[in-house]
Amino acid sequence: MQGLLGAIRGSQSAREWRACGALIACALAFSLMTVCVKHLGGRLPVAEVVLVRSLISIAITLAMLRRLKVSPWGEQRGLLLVRGGLGTAALLCFFEALARLPLAAATLLQYTYPTLTALAAWLLLGEPVRRRIGIAVLLGLLGVMLVVQPQWVGSPMGSLPAMAALIGLGGALLTALAYVSVRQLSVREHPLVIVFYFPLVSVPATLPLLWGQAALWPNPTEWLWLIGVGLFTQLGQIWLTEGLSALPAARATSINYVQVVFASLWGVLFFAEPITGAVVLGALCVLGATLISLSARSARKAET
């Protein structure tokens, strides 16, 4: 362990350190966003939560772009719209899976996305999946399984509703493709422009879903949680884009496994969820996966 930590300290450039820190901060922000969503208690329709979150994100991003005097429209508008569509579809699939499946099963299906991101980045961007990153992805997936403790471990996947499971896996695949598109866009586009297109697509995409539904006006407490959802999502998207601009997609998403550890911590602190030996072991696996990912650059140097 000391040798691994030493390799991490000595191998990272300043830009890589900032990217790793941004990705860990991204995981923290997204985990706090889920806390806000859980506190909403499910009274508001999912599409309404996504819509409000998107409107908050648009307002914040436009203000930041105006302050920096950066055009919000970007250069690769087609790919930017694709990124926004992929992110919106991934979010809706994840929420739908949460509605149809046990929380543990939906979470585990969603967290297959680092593996899918590594494969998509290899196929679409030509980014090699190095041995250490492959180990980190698999170790992180094992840690997620231990932390969420799905009830169907030991039973065939067929025990889950087939359509719901496919929706969950589809959301993970869409998340992976969205991350790969962010990686590609970050070469030429300003990070805030990439962030801007996500809610820009989400708003018109969610409005039809509210048609015919009884949209509820949030009470004052719900407005606080909705603002929290918007703010933490905004921070998470900014830090995610910063991290993906500097690191290969497979390595970046393997670091994001740490979000599961944060989520487990908030479960204990805010929702009185118990800590078991499996949760501790899973958290150690996720921590190990993150440390392996952080040391990947030194391994690459040693191989060349």
Side-chain angles (χ1 to χ4, degrees):
M1 179 64 73
Q2 289 182 349
L4 180 59
L5 292 174
I8 294 171
R9 286 193 296 268
S11 66
Q12 307 299 311
S13 67
R15 185 165 182 258
E16 286 176 319
W17 269 121
R18 286 194 300 271
C20 293
L23 289 166
I24 293 173
C26 161
L28 175 61
F30 282 149
S31 70
L32 289 171
M33 181 267 291
T34 61
V35 171
C36 294
V37 171
K38 189 164 184 177
H39 272 294
L40 285 169
R43 191 182 78 92
L44 303 177
V46 168
E48 184 176 344
V49 175
V50 175
L51 177 63
V52 174
R53 164 185 134 159
S54 300
L55 291 173
I56 292 173
S57 182
I58 285 178
I60 295 174
T61 308
L62 280 176
M64 296 175 73
L65 286 167
R66 187 174 293 110
R67 182 178 179 183
L68 295 174
K69 298 181 179 179
V70 175
S71 170
W73 306 115
E75 300 178 14
Q76 306 172 80
R77 295 178 186 175
L79 186 55
L80 284 164
L81 287 170
V82 168
R83 183 271 178 272
L86 289 169
T88 300
L91 185 64
L92 292 172
C93 282
F94 179 50
F95 283 153
E96 183 66 22
L98 284 172
R100 296 190 182 202
L101 295 171
L103 177 60
T107 302
L108 183 56
L109 289 172
Q110 173 64 12
Y111 270 86
T112 60
Y113 82 80
T115 303
L116 296 173
T117 301
L119 294 175
W122 171 56
L123 291 172
L124 300 177
L125 303 180
E127 293 184 356
V129 182
R130 301 187 180 276
R131 183 172 58 186
R132 282 206 173 195
I133 295 302
I135 293 172
V137 167
L138 294 176
L139 184 61
L141 187 60
L142 173 62
V144 169
M145 183 178 292
L146 289 168
V147 169
V148 301
Q149 299 178 56
Q151 297 174 354
W152 43 265
V153 167
S155 62
M157 279 291 292
S159 62
L160 291 175
M163 183 55 66
L166 287 174
I167 290 173
L169 288 171
L173 176 60
L174 290 166
T175 299
L177 293 174
Y179 282 13
V180 169
S181 67
V182 170
R183 172 71 176 160
Q184 180 71 15
L185 285 165
S186 63
V187 176
R188 294 172 54 187
E189 301 290 355
H190 193 282
L192 286 175
V193 173
I194 302 173
V195 171
F196 174 67
Y197 269 80
F198 189 172
L200 187 67
V201 174
S202 295
V203 169
T206 52
L207 282 174
L209 299 178
L210 286 172
W211 188 265
Q213 290 190 25
L216 301 174
W217 187 258
N219 61 43
T221 302
E222 288 171 336
W223 272 119
L224 289 176
W225 293 122
L226 284 169
I227 292 171
V229 170
L231 290 176
F232 287 126
T233 299
Q234 180 75 3
L235 290 172
Q237 288 293 327
I238 291 173
W239 286 325
L240 171 67
T241 304
E242 180 182 342
L244 283 170
S245 69
L247 296 177
R251 183 180 174 197
T253 52
S254 65
I255 293 173
N256 276 351
Y257 274 131
V258 76
Q259 181 179 338
V260 179
V261 178
F262 287 136
S264 299
L265 178 61
W266 306 144
V268 173
L269 293 178
F270 300 134
F271 304 109
E273 297 176 355
I275 292 183
T276 65
V279 170
V280 174
L281 181 58
L284 290 175
C285 287
V286 172
L287 177 61
T290 304
L291 291 174
I292 291 171
S293 298
L294 292 174
S295 68
R297 184 171 180 265
S298 62
R300 184 164 68 252
K301 283 185 172 182
E303 292 171 2
T304 58

